[in-house]
Amino acid sequence: MSMVEGKALLTNDDVEAYLPMELDRSWRTRSSTPSAALHSVDPDAVGLGDLGRPTDYVARQLRTWYGSWTSSAQGAQYDDQRIHDLHGYFQSEHSRAGPGWCTATTAPTTS
């Protein structure tokens, strides 16, 4: 991992200054619509049932994300304890909720 030229968008104010709200809303709609359509497809119904693992997506993502971070941090000689704390929090929440916490067919709801 190395430094690259660019603008870090760390806060909502940064995003709004860099990307006007109208453009941001338009982009979000255009990018989420195809994703929603893909997630509504039953993999078994279209012959893709054996393509991936249908359960415990979150645990796999956490392992991949954390592994990528630790590898990159070591090579860059940079680390941030907050990442480890956040990973621990996600792991404990996932363990507490169980593997059905978020799969391809179920997701947590907000009230």
Side-chain angles (χ1 to χ4, degrees):
M1 179 176 5
S2 61
M3 292 291 292
V4 294
E5 186 130 353
K7 172 81 174 139
L9 306 177
L10 304 174
T11 67
N12 284 336
D13 290 340
D14 292 341
V15 173
E16 288 172 10
Y18 186 76
L19 185 64
M21 188 56 73
E22 307 78 46
L23 189 56
D24 179 49
R25 229 179 252 119
S26 170
W27 177 85
R28 287 180 195 210
T29 301
R30 287 194 326 268
S31 64
S32 62
T33 301
S35 181
L38 283 172
H39 282 87
S40 70
V41 173
D42 176 3
D44 291 323
V46 294
L48 298 174
D50 60 348
L51 185 60
R53 291 175 263 170
T55 60
D56 222 5
Y57 173 78
V58 171
R60 291 193 309 277
Q61 288 302 105
L62 287 172
R63 278 192 302 274
T64 300
W65 170 72
Y66 193 62
S68 293
W69 170 263
T70 53
S71 295
S72 297
Q74 184 178 31
Q77 297 179 347
Y78 174 81
D79 203 359
D80 187 331
Q81 183 57 43
R82 294 174 297 178
I83 297 296
H84 303 286
D85 295 344
L86 186 61
H87 181 259
Y89 169 77
F90 286 148
Q91 287 284 77
S92 67
E93 286 299 300
H94 180 260
S95 297
R96 185 178 62 79
W101 181 54
C102 184
T103 66
T105 56
T106 63
T109 57
T110 58
S111 339

